[in-house]
Amino acid sequence: MRLTPRNVSDGDVSDIVDLYRVCYSSYMVEFNERTIREMIRDNVFVVVRNDRGQIICVGQAEQVKIDTGGGGVWTLVEVSENATLPDYRSMGLSQHARLVMIEAVRGPRTIIYVESRLNHAGVIGANLKIGMRPAGRLDHHTFMDSMASEVAQEGSYNTLLVMHLPVVV
């Protein structure tokens, strides 16, 4: 299997749309070719392919630069929209994709964080393994469902656990 940051062709877009639609039964935005093209254009986007070249795992790192005035410029990075096809889960692919994204964006004055569904212990455990630390939670914060969770979700909105990597100043 291969990890390829930003090595996504225009022909891959429809496959990525299909992957997200399999992995998320509901989400904050509609996964379509326009939104996927924007994700690829604007973010560090990583795909994992199997030996046949099929995309089986995706993720992205969304970045924004913030000029704090006297404190200089900081970069805020959210590692987000990770998804792995069901037949390939529990193989560490999403965790490895996160590490590739983190290496691509890591630097001084960079805050790297994730917002993971509180009812998905596997993802939270993977975040802990790569050095993420809990920062807080967002109660009933986002509308999303992937049908992958260890505890049933109550209502339409998920509670998220915010985790971050230690910051290098």
Side-chain angles (χ1 to χ4, degrees), residues 51-99:
D51 295 334
R52 297 183 316 273
Q54 175 191 15
I55 297 173
I56 57 174
C57 176
V58 297
Q60 67 177 315
E62 303 173 74
Q63 302 177 76
V64 64
K65 301 241 184 244
I66 301 169
D67 188 345
T68 63
V73 176
W74 283 75
T75 303
L76 186 61
V77 180
E78 180 184 4
V79 177
S80 65
E81 280 84 43
N82 289 306
T84 304
L85 288 175
D87 290 347
Y88 294 90
R89 291 186 182 147
S90 298
M91 297 177 163
L93 299 175
S94 184
Q95 179 180 341
H96 195 55
R98 280 188 188 99
L99 289 170

Side-chain angles (χ1 to χ4, degrees), residues 23 89 117 119-120 145-150:
C23 294
R89 291 186 182 147
R117 291 178 301 133
N119 66 341
H120 204 325
D145 192 8
S146 71
M147 302 301 197
S149 62
E150 288 75 25

